[in-house]
Amino acid sequence: MNKRTGFAIVISLSFLSFSGFAYSAPRKTHSVVLGAVKHVPYSQAGDPAGAAAGENTLNIRALLVDGLLREWTTGDAHDVTDRSLVVRRVIRLNDLLPTDKPGSGEKPPAAGRWVWQRGPWLLVDRVSGHIVALKLPDYDPGVSQVSWFRDYAAYCGVTATGKSMYAVVAQVAVRKPALARKLAAFDAENHPEPVCAPPDWQRDPLRITFHPAGKDAVSYNFVPGSAMLVEDTGDEEETPDPPTAK
């Protein structure tokens, strides 16, 4: 073996060793944390669809991914799987009208008039760091108080026409509700507070009970299917090799 051949072999072995190390390197993990509770002003004036009568503060927490603020949330989080959780988002909304003018000592209109509103539920993946807003059927932020079990959300929903209230059980990642039964007519201008208390889950037999205001509780036996949530592996897709010319 000449020197040139030996040198080529050494370079090849070094390249293979480096390639093997790079291929086996652990993938990056993400840090997903809910911060400490913070109290912010909150009322029906700022969120007429979400705030209860007499409610004047809202407890919120920052959702941090790798130390960076991604969203503001409220209420308790629910672990769907060992790596995915759901939590409700809160939105800071600019409530300034074009005709609003600042009074003496107030900030200029360009600074905005900010209010907090309860928003949709978020699905958070602890491994990939991905955050997705859930589209729950007939979900109404001012009416729907969600009760979670596994990857199922049970709540009282309001139809798009705003005239009917339904008992709804929705499954994460499935568009069609697993359960949708009419509970009562709904009057958006004149309804009790709360319209519907959070539903109750029972495991054996699996049953969900709804509590519409002013009416008897309604229960439904429920036969769950397999979880439909497909969690991202977090791995980057491989780029296929270009075809070899013949």
Side-chain angles (χ1 to χ4, degrees):
M1 181 186 298
N2 56 37
K3 292 183 178 180
R4 181 175 298 178
T5 302
F7 180 76
I9 292 174
V10 171
I11 293 297
S12 299
L13 291 174
S14 300
F15 176 78
L16 290 173
S17 299
F18 176 79
S19 299
F21 173 80
Y23 182 80
S24 62
R27 69 187 180 198
K28 180 182 178 182
T29 58
H30 297 268
S31 170
V32 176
V33 177
L34 288 171
V37 173
K38 176 182 177 181
H39 308 285
V40 296
Y42 185 69
S43 68
Q44 287 187 336
D47 189 4
E55 192 174 13
N56 53 24
T57 60
L58 183 66
N59 297 336
I60 65 173
R61 292 189 294 172
L63 174 59
L64 306 171
V65 178
D66 297 335
L68 300 177
L69 174 63
R70 295 290 303 275
E71 299 286 355
W72 287 101
T73 70
T74 187
D76 296 330
H78 166 72
D79 290 323
V80 178
T81 70
D82 57 346
R83 59 175 280 180
S84 294
L85 62 90
V86 288
V87 66
R88 193 172 184 182
R89 184 189 180 199
V90 285
I91 302 168
R92 194 165 183 243
L93 193 67
N94 187 2
D95 193 48
L96 187 73
L97 289 171
T99 55
D100 286 343
K101 296 181 179 180
S104 177
E106 293 183 4
K107 294 181 179 180
R113 181 178 182 270
W114 301 97
V115 296
W116 291 94
Q117 294 193 358
R118 288 186 170 102
W121 283 82
L122 304 173
L123 176 65
V124 185
D125 192 313
R126 293 187 180 94
V127 176
S128 66
H130 293 167
I131 302 173
V132 179
L134 295 178
K135 296 181 180 179
L136 301 176
D138 293 333
Y139 175 82
D140 186 296
V143 174
S144 305
Q145 299 191 56
V146 180
S147 179
W148 288 93
F149 173 69
R150 298 180 181 174
D151 60 338
Y152 290 95
Y155 54 91
C156 293
V158 177
T159 56
T161 61
K163 296 181 179 180
S164 299
M165 182 172 65
Y166 271 66
V168 181
V169 176
Q171 187 175 15
V172 174
V174 179
R175 180 176 299 178
K176 185 178 179 180
L179 173 72
R181 296 287 188 274
K182 185 175 179 178
L183 292 173
F186 181 75
D187 185 353
E189 300 295 331
N190 183 22
H191 58 76
E193 292 284 354
V195 178
C196 191
D200 295 323
W201 285 99
Q202 175 185 311
R203 177 177 283 110
D204 188 18
L206 189 57
R207 179 178 299 162
I208 182 68
T209 302
F210 293 84
H211 305 278
K215 295 183 177 295
D216 294 335
V218 181
S219 297
Y220 301 95
N221 288 339
F222 188 71
V223 180
S226 299
M228 298 300 293
L229 175 61
V230 178
E231 294 165 320
D232 185 10
T233 61
D235 297 330
E236 295 182 359
E237 295 183 359
E238 295 183 359
T239 303
D241 296 330
T244 303
K246 295 183 179 179

